[in-house]
Amino acid sequence: LPLPIGISFYTFQTMSYVIDVYRKEVKVQKNFVTFGTYVALFPQLIAGPIIRYQTVEEQMVKRKETIDLFSKGIVRFMIGLGKKMLIANPIGDLFREIAGMGAADLTTVSAWLGVIAFTLQIYFDFSGYSDMAIGLGRMFGFEFKKNFDVPYISKSITEFWRRWHISLSSWFREYVYIPLGGNHVTISRNIVNLLIVWMLTGMWHGAAWNFIVWGIYYGVVLVLEKYVWGAIVDRWPSVLQHIYALVLVLV
């Protein structure tokens, strides 16, 4: 179905508001314009970061716009724009060219080049947008938390998801994983909780089976890291840990 652009982001934002009000963690916002501003906050409306209401509750009514913040916002915006226009778009063209090749013309080298190109494109595209959103917000007096923290230097998939799309990981942890019991349950229940969270994460990215499989894949890897081979990987040299994490991400 053709859905409104950005629906996954502002749906989660309004859900966080309703849940936080129910939990009595924030007060009911009775000003319709203020609440509407939160829901339709244009800098991050299309691709995040996901902003929880309690993060910007005070900023909605008490924020400062200064020349210094505005100039810092411009710098952050330009960094994000550079990531998008100068890196993500050209690499995306390379990926699309390789992806459009027929199986008979695709060599092992070109296939891996395509995989690496997509890996770089999606990072610079997504993190670039987040930087632009954070920069725009800062220009108007809002302080949004960073959404990416150089994820490709991670030494495990667990670390990778602390660094990649941080606002999404935090949302699922706060509103799904912890209410399900989090870590304070039996091992079998914890495994179920992790798989539920990651299946939902896959569905959030897209209503198609490939996204669900993608989510379950990460869920299984995270379970195995936590209960099977994580302690072994921790004893490996740093270089091997980086290779291990990157290979699993590339897959």
Side-chain angles (χ1 to χ4, degrees):
L1 293 174
L3 298 173
I5 190 167
I7 187 172
S8 55
F9 288 91
Y10 52 77
T11 297
F12 267 28
Q13 291 198 174
T14 50
M15 285 176 66
S16 75
Y17 167 76
V18 172
I19 295 169
D20 287 349
V21 168
Y22 175 77
R23 292 174 172 177
K24 298 182 179 179
E25 293 180 358
V26 299
K27 295 179 181 178
V28 175
Q29 178 52 254
K30 297 180 180 180
N31 187 309
F32 181 78
V33 174
T34 302
F35 177 71
T37 302
Y38 164 68
V39 175
L41 203 57
F42 75 92
Q44 42 65 244
L45 184 63
I46 306 303
I50 301 169
I51 306 298
R52 291 177 62 186
Y53 181 74
Q54 60 181 250
T55 303
V56 294
E57 180 181 17
E58 188 173 343
Q59 297 180 45
M60 297 297 291
V61 292
K62 295 179 182 178
R63 67 180 183 279
K64 296 179 180 179
E65 300 91 357
T66 65
I67 296 297
D68 182 56
L69 277 178
F70 195 87
S71 61
K72 287 180 179 177
I74 291 175
V75 171
R76 188 65 177 265
F77 180 88
M78 294 303 293
I79 290 171
L81 186 63
K83 284 182 179 180
K84 168 67 177 168
M85 301 302 296
L86 302 178
I87 304 177
N89 285 2
I91 293 177
D93 291 338
L94 172 63
F95 166 70
R96 281 186 290 275
E97 184 177 340
I98 295 173
M101 295 171 63
D105 301 321
L106 199 63
T107 65
T108 301
V109 173
S110 59
W112 274 107
L113 181 61
V115 170
I116 293 169
F118 181 73
T119 303
L120 293 174
Q121 181 208 357
I122 196 171
Y123 167 69
F124 285 107
D125 192 295
F126 207 172
S127 70
Y129 187 97
S130 292
D131 284 340
M132 287 190 281
I134 292 169
L136 276 172
R138 192 167 291 169
M139 290 160 68
F140 288 93
F142 290 97
E143 280 293 337
F144 302 147
K145 295 178 181 178
K146 65 181 177 182
N147 207 24
F148 289 85
D149 185 16
V150 283
Y152 290 154
I153 69 167
S154 301
K155 298 179 181 179
S156 67
I157 298 303
T158 303
E159 182 185 357
F160 174 78
W161 276 103
R162 291 196 199 106
R163 294 175 175 271
W164 178 280
H165 206 340
I166 299 169
S167 62
L168 179 68
S169 302
S170 300
W171 198 98
F172 272 105
R173 182 177 65 250
E174 181 69 28
Y175 296 112
V176 181
Y177 184 65
I178 292 176
L180 284 173
N183 296 323
H184 304 293
V185 290
T186 62
I187 291 177
S188 59
R189 178 62 192 180
N190 183 243
I191 291 172
V192 170
N193 291 348
L194 285 168
L195 293 177
I196 289 173
V197 166
W198 283 97
M199 183 179 70
L200 292 174
T201 303
M203 292 173 66
W204 179 86
H205 279 84
W209 282 108
N210 62 308
F211 289 108
I212 295 173
V213 171
W214 173 90
I216 293 173
Y217 166 80
Y218 270 117
V220 169
V221 171
L222 288 166
V223 166
L224 292 173
E225 276 193 359
K226 187 171 186 178
Y227 292 110
V228 180
W229 63 54
I232 298 172
V233 172
D234 287 341
R235 294 195 292 269
W236 290 355
S238 293
V239 173
L240 287 181
Q241 291 176 334
H242 286 305
I243 293 171
Y244 155 81
L246 275 176
V247 167
L248 287 177
V249 169
L250 287 169
V251 169

